[in-house]
Amino acid sequence: DSVAARKGATFHFGSTWDTSYSSAEASWTTNVYNTFFNHIVAENGCKWQSTEPSRGTSSLTQCLGVQSYAVARNASFRGHNTFWHSQLPSWLPGSVTASDLVTNVIPQHVQQEIQGMGSGVTSWDVVNEIVGDGVSNGMTALQCVQNKNDWPTKTADGSGTNLVTDLSFVHAAFSTALKYAPASARLAVNDYNTGGNDAKTACMFQVLADINANAAVPYNRLAVGFQSHISAAPGQFSAKSDLANNFAKLAALGANAMITELDIKLSSATSANERYQAAIWGDYLDACLYASNCFEFINWDTRDDLSWIGASGAGTLFDTNGNPKPAAYEVAARL
Ligand code: XIL
């Protein structure tokens, strides 16, 4: 199609699939996949709590199920995620030391998940949400990550022990991913509130440079995943300039950019708000479509009443009746 021609490669555009859908939700969503999307991510099925329910045990049934669903739709599949502070298996937080985490737990988990999922994965979120929200300009990569006030920087057992005294846990995750991921898979640091020109965004660049230098992952294999859970409120950064600048800075390094979890929350679903939402959606898609290094774009959830932010947030492309909203038309016109 014209996008593929312009980018010289397949443009992967899609959404989530959750293993918990009712049969009515599944058939509605499948219809959208058959007609509109060519890319799928598991909303929950590939997270650590699903994939390693007891230590050392690989359980990829849910994750493989979503991948097979993608194959059956002629869609591509991205992996989310191998490391996150949330949706962890119950055996993990509080049970490991820092050296056990870095030497055994993380490499074993990343290997068994990435190796087990095999070749049909366009990109992996190797680490998810590791940068803090209270960061300031000039912080080192380590300071950016130590600022994250969640496990493993703050263990969930209440002891408050900080397991992160250096970034070896990040390096272990990435060097293992590099070893076992398909050669074409992009390896991402994925996070929210990183589209603008601010301290958290600067941290993402610091962390990426650190991974490149210390885990020996070449930039052409690296990506920043911009989750993009945003609100359609005035005063936010511009997708046309700030986001596009961030993509261009990554391109200058030889690294990839991707939109991994876009939803755009509304204060209420008025038609004026929906038109504003459509314009922002178009700007996001343009930022990716016109960047040389952006090939994957995921909308987080497909219908307002299936959305993790709740139906009242009206943050997806389709309304609670399953009808396309102005944003869906805005997007369709560009693909
Ligand atoms: C959310 C899912 O959408 C929910 O179903 C689940 O209960 C919690 O996680 N950032 C991420 C995603 O990286 O994995 C989260 O997904 C949303 C925020």
Side-chain angles (χ1 to χ4, degrees), residues 40 62-72 75 77 116-121:
I40 300 178
Q62 287 190 50
C63 194
L64 286 165
V66 180
Q67 190 189 43
S68 311
Y69 176 89
V71 170
F77 172 85
M117 293 306 297
S119 59
V121 187

Side-chain angles (χ1 to χ4, degrees), residues 236-285:
Q236 67 189 353
F237 69 88
S238 156
K240 279 190 205 285
S241 58
D242 295 329
L243 192 63
N245 280 344
N246 289 324
F247 288 10
K249 276 169 67 183
L250 289 168
L253 293 169
N256 299 283
M258 48 186 70
I259 300 292
T260 53
E261 306 185 13
L262 180 60
D263 49 30
I264 304 179
K265 190 176 186 174
L266 300 182
S267 52
S268 61
T270 62
S271 59
N273 283 346
E274 288 188 349
R275 283 197 301 277
Y276 184 44
Q277 180 184 52
I280 299 173
W281 225 296
D283 287 346
Y284 264 76
L285 188 55

